[in-house]
Amino acid sequence: SRGNSKYHYYGIRLKPESPLNRLQEDTQYMAMRQQPIHQKQRYRAAQKMDGMAESASNSNPHTTPEQSVAAQCQHHQQFIDVTHVFPEFPAPDLGNVLLQEGFTLNDVKTLQVLYRRHCEATLDVVMHLQFHYIEKLWQSFWSPKAPSSDGPTALPSSEEEPEGALPKDKLITLCKYEPILKWMRSCDHILYQALVEILIPDVLRPVPSTLTQAIRNFAKSLEGWLMNAMSEFPPQVVQTKVGVVSAFAQTLRRYTSLNHLAQAARAVLQNTSQINQMLSDLNRVDFANVQEQASWVCQCEEGMVQKLEQDFKLTLQQQSSLDQWASWLDNVVTQVLKHHEGSPSFPKAARQFLLKWSFYSSMVIRDLTLRSAASFGSFHLIRLLYDEYMFYLVEHRVAQATGETPIAVMGEFGDLTSLSPTLLDKDDISELGTEGDPGEPLVKRERSEPGHSLQDI
């Protein structure tokens, strides 16, 4: 079919059981430029559990729709981490506040056991890429009046489990208490970080576009599913739970967008003529003028900036692969932040580095634009990828330095009181409190779909 001055070809793919799939890791970036309609229909059919005949018509006529979906999920499991070990949850710090209100330690222990098993069931469902079961799983835990037998929603039994389950009214009352709510949020951070590491174990590794789209659709549905399941809970409880889920969904969107950028950039970095043109254009950039203008704002050491410039040109000249560029970027972060390791100022220094990196790169892009550089499109794409990957590296460094998960570090800056004191100092809090909507996480932003613009570049 013809559209937007391009021809689109449908139905061209490898069979899920084909041995050629093993070669896809090196060539997957080519497939990222296509969107096989029949595969997207399969995911919609799997979620809606109807209209199976439509997707079946695109596969082997002797294969049932359920078998087609199962085969695709099995094929996609090679791109996720099915060996991930689920960390233990911390114990809630209760003090004596609950005992004064007539609740026993057995009630708390029951909630701990049941919530752990609920999270394990969530992990198992995601690990098998059965995203459509999450809604039923959440409904069965938060709204036990309407349990569902369609899917793995029943909690397994155990000899260690206290007798019975918590009634819904007692569950609601327990969740109102700040120690329980804080403990549950910590557990959610651990759970959703594990899910991110399972679904996207390597943000640079090529993955099928159908898996990427399935993850994005999953992220888009999460908040609505949880709010429906917890419709009878107090707003404070729902807000806390949805805040972590929103951070999880945002992380999935960012990482899938980063992965898409990586595959588009991989094609540029493997093109010798484009690399030579980029080198030629970069050598015309007036870096002395860039440094002069940026130094007043960023106050970076001139020697460090010159070294980064030389290293960047050398790495580009060597026609380095995407993985080699990733190592170079990681070394830059290490070099810049090494003086702040072990210091309470580490998170602030990391955020300042991101701002300075972005400012310098924007100045270089500005110079290339004014010179009408032939390789501007390639530089723009590379800059988008490197900025996003720097953000990814820094959030993990800060998480490691503070003992938090990356989701906890990056996802909930709107609620300053929920963060560890080591993440923000008084100056940060005063600065953040004067701008924007205090109820909206500052880093909560959904990337625009890369789509055809990257293909054009």
Side-chain angles (χ1 to χ4, degrees):
S1 66
R2 182 175 172 83
N4 296 327
S5 301
K6 297 177 183 177
Y7 287 98
H8 302 274
Y9 300 90
Y10 304 111
I12 300 176
R13 77 190 193 285
L14 292 175
K15 295 180 179 179
E17 65 273 12
S18 170
L20 292 176
N21 281 309
R22 289 194 294 267
L23 301 177
Q24 279 190 325
E25 183 166 345
D26 295 330
T27 60
Q28 190 62 42
Y29 70 90
M30 296 295 294
M32 300 296 291
R33 302 187 177 192
Q34 304 171 5
Q35 286 289 336
I37 298 302
H38 63 280
Q39 294 185 356
K40 290 194 287 186
Q41 288 173 341
R42 285 184 187 176
Y43 270 104
R44 285 196 289 268
Q47 293 171 2
K48 297 178 181 178
M49 299 307 290
D50 59 13
M52 285 293 190
E54 183 179 359
S55 63
S57 64
N58 296 298
S59 57
N60 190 318
H62 301 291
T63 303
T64 66
E66 292 82 0
Q67 289 173 333
S68 298
V69 172
Q72 190 176 59
C73 287
Q74 185 176 6
H75 165 58
H76 285 164
Q77 281 192 309
Q78 67 179 298
F79 297 97
I80 67 175
D81 182 8
V82 296
T83 63
H84 194 280
V85 178
F86 193 25
E88 291 296 326
F89 286 165
D93 184 11
L94 302 177
N96 58 1
V97 62
L98 294 179
L99 298 179
Q100 295 176 354
E101 300 293 334
F103 287 94
T104 65
L105 290 177
N106 190 59
D107 293 329
V108 178
K109 183 179 179 182
T110 300
L111 178 61
Q112 284 183 258
V113 173
L114 293 180
Y115 197 69
R116 171 72 186 189
R117 291 179 180 171
H118 167 67
C119 292
E120 289 174 346
T122 302
L123 188 84
D124 184 67
V125 166
V126 171
M127 193 172 288
H128 288 84
L129 302 176
Q130 297 173 321
F131 299 136
H132 55 287
Y133 284 138
I134 292 294
E135 182 179 17
K136 301 177 195 269
L137 193 63
W138 285 351
Q139 287 176 347
S140 69
F141 185 84
W142 300 108
S143 301
K145 293 179 181 179
S148 173
S149 60
D150 184 15
T153 58
L155 294 173
S157 60
S158 170
E159 295 179 358
E160 298 179 359
E161 180 179 355
E163 292 184 0
L166 286 174
K168 186 173 181 178
D169 57 345
K170 182 171 285 190
L171 176 62
I172 292 175
T173 306
L174 275 173
C175 290
K176 289 180 181 179
Y177 290 103
E178 186 61 30
I180 292 295
L181 203 55
K182 184 177 180 181
W183 166 78
M184 197 170 285
R185 182 171 55 198
S186 299
C187 295
D188 286 349
H189 283 147
I190 295 173
L191 168 66
Y192 295 131
Q193 185 63 42
L195 296 185
V196 169
E197 293 170 3
I198 288 171
L199 291 174
I200 313 175
D202 185 350
V203 292
L204 300 182
R205 181 190 180 191
V207 297
S209 57
T210 47
L211 176 58
T212 299
Q213 190 58 49
I215 293 174
R216 293 184 71 84
N217 290 339
F218 173 54
K220 191 181 299 184
S221 305
L222 285 169
E223 292 182 40
W225 287 348
L226 186 60
M227 292 179 70
N228 289 336
M230 301 187 68
S231 59
E232 299 181 25
F233 280 72
Q236 181 186 2
V237 177
V238 176
Q239 183 180 2
T240 300
K241 291 286 297 180
V242 171
V244 187
V245 167
S246 176
F248 171 51
Q250 171 205 318
T251 301
L252 291 179
R253 287 190 289 262
R254 283 200 302 111
Y255 287 8
T256 50
S257 293
L258 172 57
N259 185 268
H260 187 99
L261 282 169
Q263 306 333 312
R266 196 184 297 270
V268 173
L269 296 175
Q270 293 175 345
N271 189 313
T272 303
S273 61
Q274 283 182 283
I275 294 297
N276 292 334
Q277 183 64 53
M278 291 173 71
L279 266 173
S280 176
D281 293 337
L282 194 61
N283 286 328
R284 295 192 183 97
V285 172
D286 187 355
F287 278 95
N289 183 54
V290 169
Q291 167 64 7
E292 182 179 348
Q293 294 186 54
S295 61
W296 185 80
V297 176
C298 301
Q299 300 176 352
C300 292
E301 182 184 348
E302 185 175 356
M304 171 70 75
V305 176
Q306 290 178 350
K307 185 177 186 305
L308 290 178
E309 173 198 342
Q310 295 169 0
D311 288 349
F312 186 94
K313 290 180 179 179
L314 180 60
T315 308
L316 190 63
Q317 185 176 6
Q318 294 173 343
Q319 299 189 12
S320 302
S321 66
L322 181 60
D323 292 333
Q324 290 171 323
W325 274 109
S327 298
W328 181 80
L329 293 169
D330 188 76
N331 289 334
V332 170
V333 176
T334 300
Q335 186 177 3
V336 171
L337 297 180
K338 64 182 178 181
H339 300 298
H340 301 277
E341 290 182 0
S343 169
S345 65
F346 187 90
K348 184 175 183 178
R351 292 194 301 276
Q352 288 297 315
F353 164 68
L354 282 179
L355 290 173
K356 294 175 182 179
W357 171 272
S358 180
F359 190 84
Y360 268 95
S361 62
S362 67
M363 293 291 290
V364 174
I365 289 291
R366 170 181 173 274
D367 194 293
L368 290 167
T369 305
L370 295 177
R371 295 174 187 275
S372 300
S375 61
F376 169 78
S378 299
F379 271 113
H380 181 63
L381 175 60
I382 295 299
R383 188 262 174 117
L384 288 175
L385 171 63
Y386 291 2
D387 280 6
E388 199 68 31
Y389 191 65
M390 278 297 192
F391 196 90
Y392 169 84
L393 291 174
V394 166
E395 72 177 349
H396 282 75
R397 295 294 180 88
V398 173
Q400 184 179 10
T402 58
E404 303 278 354
T405 62
I407 286 181
V409 170
M410 307 307 298
E412 296 186 89
F413 270 68
D415 181 11
L416 300 179
T417 59
S418 70
L419 296 173
S420 168
T422 60
L423 296 183
L424 293 174
D425 55 29
K426 293 181 180 180
D427 293 337
D428 292 322
I429 294 176
S430 61
E431 291 171 5
L432 293 176
T434 57
E435 298 180 4
D437 180 5
E440 181 72 6
L442 297 183
V443 296
K444 182 182 177 183
R445 65 200 186 285
E446 182 170 357
R447 301 294 187 195
S448 58
E449 296 288 345
H452 296 294
S453 60
L454 293 183
Q455 299 172 18
D456 296 337
I457 291 173

